[in-house]
PDB file of all heavy atoms in Angstrom:
ATOM      1  N   GLY A  74       9.956  15.067  21.898  1.00  0.00           N
ATOM      2  CA  GLY A  74      11.146  14.752  21.120  1.00  0.00           C
ATOM      3  C   GLY A  74      12.353  14.579  22.035  1.00  0.00           C
ATOM      4  O   GLY A  74      13.173  13.689  21.863  1.00  0.00           O
ATOM      5  N   MET A  75      12.453  15.444  23.055  1.00  0.00           N
ATOM      6  CA  MET A  75      13.596  15.355  23.964  1.00  0.00           C
ATOM      7  C   MET A  75      13.535  14.070  24.818  1.00  0.00           C
ATOM      8  O   MET A  75      14.575  13.530  25.188  1.00  0.00           O
ATOM      9  CB  MET A  75      13.696  16.588  24.861  1.00  0.00           C
ATOM     10  CG  MET A  75      14.163  17.848  24.146  1.00  0.00           C
ATOM     11  SD  MET A  75      15.476  17.627  22.909  1.00  0.00           S
ATOM     12  CE  MET A  75      16.776  16.977  23.943  1.00  0.00           C
ATOM     13  N   TYR A  98      19.769  20.584  16.407  1.00  0.00           N
ATOM     14  CA  TYR A  98      18.684  21.202  17.184  1.00  0.00           C
ATOM     15  C   TYR A  98      19.252  21.597  18.549  1.00  0.00           C
ATOM     16  O   TYR A  98      19.933  20.787  19.196  1.00  0.00           O
ATOM     17  CB  TYR A  98      17.521  20.193  17.314  1.00  0.00           C
ATOM     18  CG  TYR A  98      16.450  20.662  18.245  1.00  0.00           C
ATOM     19  CD1 TYR A  98      15.602  21.697  17.856  1.00  0.00           C
ATOM     20  CD2 TYR A  98      16.293  20.125  19.490  1.00  0.00           C
ATOM     21  CE1 TYR A  98      14.608  22.155  18.707  1.00  0.00           C
ATOM     22  CE2 TYR A  98      15.290  20.561  20.339  1.00  0.00           C
ATOM     23  CZ  TYR A  98      14.456  21.580  19.948  1.00  0.00           C
ATOM     24  OH  TYR A  98      13.487  22.029  20.816  1.00  0.00           O
ATOM     25  N   ASP A 170      17.504  12.481  12.920  1.00  0.00           N
ATOM     26  CA  ASP A 170      16.348  13.261  13.387  1.00  0.00           C
ATOM     27  C   ASP A 170      15.591  13.677  12.150  1.00  0.00           C
ATOM     28  O   ASP A 170      16.051  14.540  11.389  1.00  0.00           O
ATOM     29  CB  ASP A 170      16.869  14.465  14.202  1.00  0.00           C
ATOM     30  CG  ASP A 170      15.721  15.286  14.790  1.00  0.00           C
ATOM     31  OD1 ASP A 170      14.616  15.266  14.227  1.00  0.00           O
ATOM     32  OD2 ASP A 170      15.969  15.971  15.805  1.00  0.00           O
ATOM     33  N   SER A 192      10.434  14.670  16.694  1.00  0.00           N
ATOM     34  CA  SER A 192       9.568  15.469  17.558  1.00  0.00           C
ATOM     35  C   SER A 192       8.229  15.474  16.830  1.00  0.00           C
ATOM     36  O   SER A 192       8.063  16.188  15.833  1.00  0.00           O
ATOM     37  CB  SER A 192      10.124  16.881  17.696  1.00  0.00           C
ATOM     38  OG  SER A 192       9.127  17.706  18.291  1.00  0.00           O
ATOM     39  N   THR A 194       5.687  16.715  17.866  1.00  0.00           N
ATOM     40  CA  THR A 194       5.144  18.046  18.134  1.00  0.00           C
ATOM     41  C   THR A 194       4.996  18.848  16.845  1.00  0.00           C
ATOM     42  O   THR A 194       4.111  19.712  16.741  1.00  0.00           O
ATOM     43  CB  THR A 194       6.133  18.847  19.024  1.00  0.00           C
ATOM     44  OG1 THR A 194       6.573  17.983  20.086  1.00  0.00           O
ATOM     45  CG2 THR A 194       5.542  20.105  19.556  1.00  0.00           C
ATOM     46  N   LYS A 195       5.854  18.582  15.875  1.00  0.00           N
ATOM     47  CA  LYS A 195       5.963  19.406  14.680  1.00  0.00           C
ATOM     48  C   LYS A 195       5.032  18.880  13.582  1.00  0.00           C
ATOM     49  O   LYS A 195       3.840  18.875  13.782  1.00  0.00           O
ATOM     50  CB  LYS A 195       7.428  19.478  14.277  1.00  0.00           C
ATOM     51  CG  LYS A 195       8.414  19.682  15.456  1.00  0.00           C
ATOM     52  CD  LYS A 195       8.297  21.022  16.132  1.00  0.00           C
ATOM     53  CE  LYS A 195       9.021  21.109  17.469  1.00  0.00           C
ATOM     54  NZ  LYS A 195      10.449  20.756  17.454  1.00  0.00           N
TER      55      LYS A 195
HETATM   56  C1  PLP B   1      11.462  20.367  18.390  1.00  0.00           C
HETATM   57  C2  PLP B   1      12.571  19.506  17.956  1.00  0.00           C
HETATM   58  C3  PLP B   1      13.123  18.530  18.816  1.00  0.00           C
HETATM   59  C4  PLP B   1      12.666  18.397  20.276  1.00  0.00           C
HETATM   60  O1  PLP B   1      11.359  17.954  20.343  1.00  0.00           O
HETATM   61  P1  PLP B   1      10.335  18.371  21.547  1.00  0.00           P
HETATM   62  O2  PLP B   1       9.071  17.688  21.102  1.00  0.00           O
HETATM   63  O3  PLP B   1      10.252  19.859  21.561  1.00  0.00           O
HETATM   64  O4  PLP B   1      10.880  17.819  22.815  1.00  0.00           O
HETATM   65  C5  PLP B   1      14.125  17.735  18.323  1.00  0.00           C
HETATM   66  N1  PLP B   1      14.580  17.858  17.061  1.00  0.00           N
HETATM   67  C6  PLP B   1      14.087  18.796  16.198  1.00  0.00           C
HETATM   68  C7  PLP B   1      14.648  18.906  14.826  1.00  0.00           C
HETATM   69  C8  PLP B   1      13.080  19.646  16.619  1.00  0.00           C
HETATM   70  O5  PLP B   1      12.611  20.580  15.788  1.00  0.00           O
END
Side-chain angles (χ1 to χ4, degrees):
M75 288 319 300
Y98 173 72
D170 183 335
S192 167
T194 314
K195 317 293 167 54

